[in-house]
């Protein structure tokens, strides 16, 4: 089982690992696009106005551009610790110990606009690049990633059930039609349901933690739903789509 997480816009600063070395990352088939993007972001950082437009940041976020300028020299930490925010707070990998921690690090992966796909322990620097970013003069990120990322995901899915928790824009970088997909809906007392926005990531983080640490090894969506229910979540299943129901 592989639990495929979205990245986060926010990244933990610093690190204690050596500078980025693409050959240290998992999935070497992605290194061609990775290397191109790293070089392009470093070059783009020298033109602050262009970088702001491409990355969708304001002058108050110029520190994000400075991070990109140092992509090849900045310290690294494990990807699962680099990403922060609501989903990763709920996942809380740092609290895991022993066998649960080992299972989580083996099962968790992160979709990335810069690196395509990362294993939990892959060492990466802080950076700024979103799925919707547009590097001047280059094709969209989806057009660049799909030819290499989709075959890789399909290969992974031949051996492991993939639970895809990525948001739509990151799914667009590399689609996997057979993956188990998850949505979160809020249900009012009258039975009416609506899409959960703010807390959507928190519920997906809880689900990711339950799946990543489970002793079970599910091979279909029904068994994934069973793990979620044992963790106290209300889940409905329609084929390969799971719907987590939470009180409005």
């Amino acid at each position: 089982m592989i639990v495929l997480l979205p990245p986060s816009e926010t990244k933990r600063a610093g690190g204690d690992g050596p500078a980025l070395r693409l050959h240290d990352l998992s999935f070497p088939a992605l290194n061609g696009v990775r290397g191109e993007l790293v070089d392009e972001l470093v070059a783009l950082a020298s033109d602050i106005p262009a970088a702001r437009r491409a990355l969708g940041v304001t002058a108050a976020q110029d520190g994000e551009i400075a991070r990109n300028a140092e992509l090849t020299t900045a310290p690294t930490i494990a990807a699962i610790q680099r990403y922060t925010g609501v989903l990763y707070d709920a996942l809380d990998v740092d609290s895991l110990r022993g066998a649960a921690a080992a299972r989580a690090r083996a099962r968790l992966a992160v979709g990335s606009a810069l690196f395509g796909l990362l294993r939990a322990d892959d060492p990466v620097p802080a950076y700024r690049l979103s799925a919707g970013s547009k590097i001047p003069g280059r094709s969209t990120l989806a057009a660049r990633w799909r030819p290499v990322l989709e075959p890789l995901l399909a290969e992974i899915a031949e051996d492991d059930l993939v639970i895809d928790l990525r948001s739509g824009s990151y799914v667009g970088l590399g689609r996997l039609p057979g993956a188990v997909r998850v949505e979160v809906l809020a249900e009012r007392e009258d039975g009416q349901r609506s899409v959960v926005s703010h807390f959507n990531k928190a519920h997906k983080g809880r689900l990711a933690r339950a799946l990543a640490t489970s002793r079970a090894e599910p091979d279909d969506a029904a068994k994934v739903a069973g793990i979620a229910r044992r963790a106290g979540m209300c889940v409905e299943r329609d084929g390969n789509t799971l719907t987590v129901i939470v009180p409005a």
Side-chain angles (χ1 to χ4, degrees):
M1 169 173 57
I2 298 295
V3 182
L4 182 49
L5 305 174
S8 61
E9 292 288 1
T10 55
K11 315 285 192 305
R12 184 171 286 112
D16 55 10
L20 177 65
R21 295 182 295 215
L22 294 182
H23 63 265
D24 286 344
L25 302 182
S26 304
F27 315 116
L30 305 180
N31 281 348
V33 178
R34 288 167 170 167
E36 291 175 359
L37 290 173
V38 167
D39 290 344
E40 289 163 14
L41 286 183
V42 171
L44 181 62
S46 64
D47 185 339
I48 300 298
R52 288 175 186 161
R53 292 191 297 271
L55 303 175
V57 300
T58 65
Q61 298 170 293
D62 280 352
E64 300 288 323
I65 299 172
R67 284 181 168 183
N68 285 352
E70 299 173 351
L71 273 174
T72 60
T73 58
T76 59
I77 55 173
I80 201 62
Q81 295 174 313
R82 177 65 72 191
Y83 298 101
T84 62
V86 174
L87 186 150
Y88 289 88
D89 287 345
L91 174 60
D92 195 14
V93 163
D94 288 342
S95 70
L96 300 177
R97 298 291 182 272
R103 282 192 293 270
R105 290 182 177 274
R107 291 172 173 173
L108 294 171
V110 183
S112 165
L114 178 55
F115 298 110
L117 185 66
L118 295 165
R119 291 282 191 180
D121 285 332
D122 282 339
V124 293
Y127 66 92
R128 179 65 178 238
L129 186 71
S130 303
S133 299
K134 181 64 169 65
I135 297 176
R138 299 306 304 264
S139 301
T140 65
L141 293 177
R144 299 173 71 176
W145 275 123
R146 284 180 183 173
V148 291
L149 189 52
E150 289 185 350
L152 173 64
L153 290 171
E155 181 180 337
I156 291 170
E158 290 179 1
D159 298 318
D160 293 290
L161 180 69
V162 178
I163 298 91
D164 193 349
L165 302 182
R166 295 174 299 168
S167 58
S169 59
Y170 284 91
V171 170
L173 298 184
R175 299 159 296 186
L176 183 60
V180 176
R181 297 282 296 159
V182 177
E183 61 180 6
V184 182
L185 296 180
E187 184 173 80
R188 299 198 301 264
E189 291 184 1
D190 63 4
Q192 293 295 310
R193 293 177 174 180
S194 58
V195 175
V196 174
S197 53
H198 181 67
F199 292 107
N200 173 54
K201 293 179 180 179
H203 294 295
K204 286 187 174 181
R206 287 181 56 213
L207 176 60
R209 183 181 175 92
L211 295 173
T213 59
S214 174
R215 292 185 177 88
E217 194 66 59
D219 55 9
D220 60 30
K223 293 175 183 175
V224 172
I227 294 172
R229 291 176 185 131
R230 289 193 292 276
M233 306 181 80
C234 178
V235 178
E236 297 176 355
R237 182 177 69 87
D238 182 6
N240 272 356
T241 299
L242 303 184
T243 302
V244 177
I245 308 298
V246 300

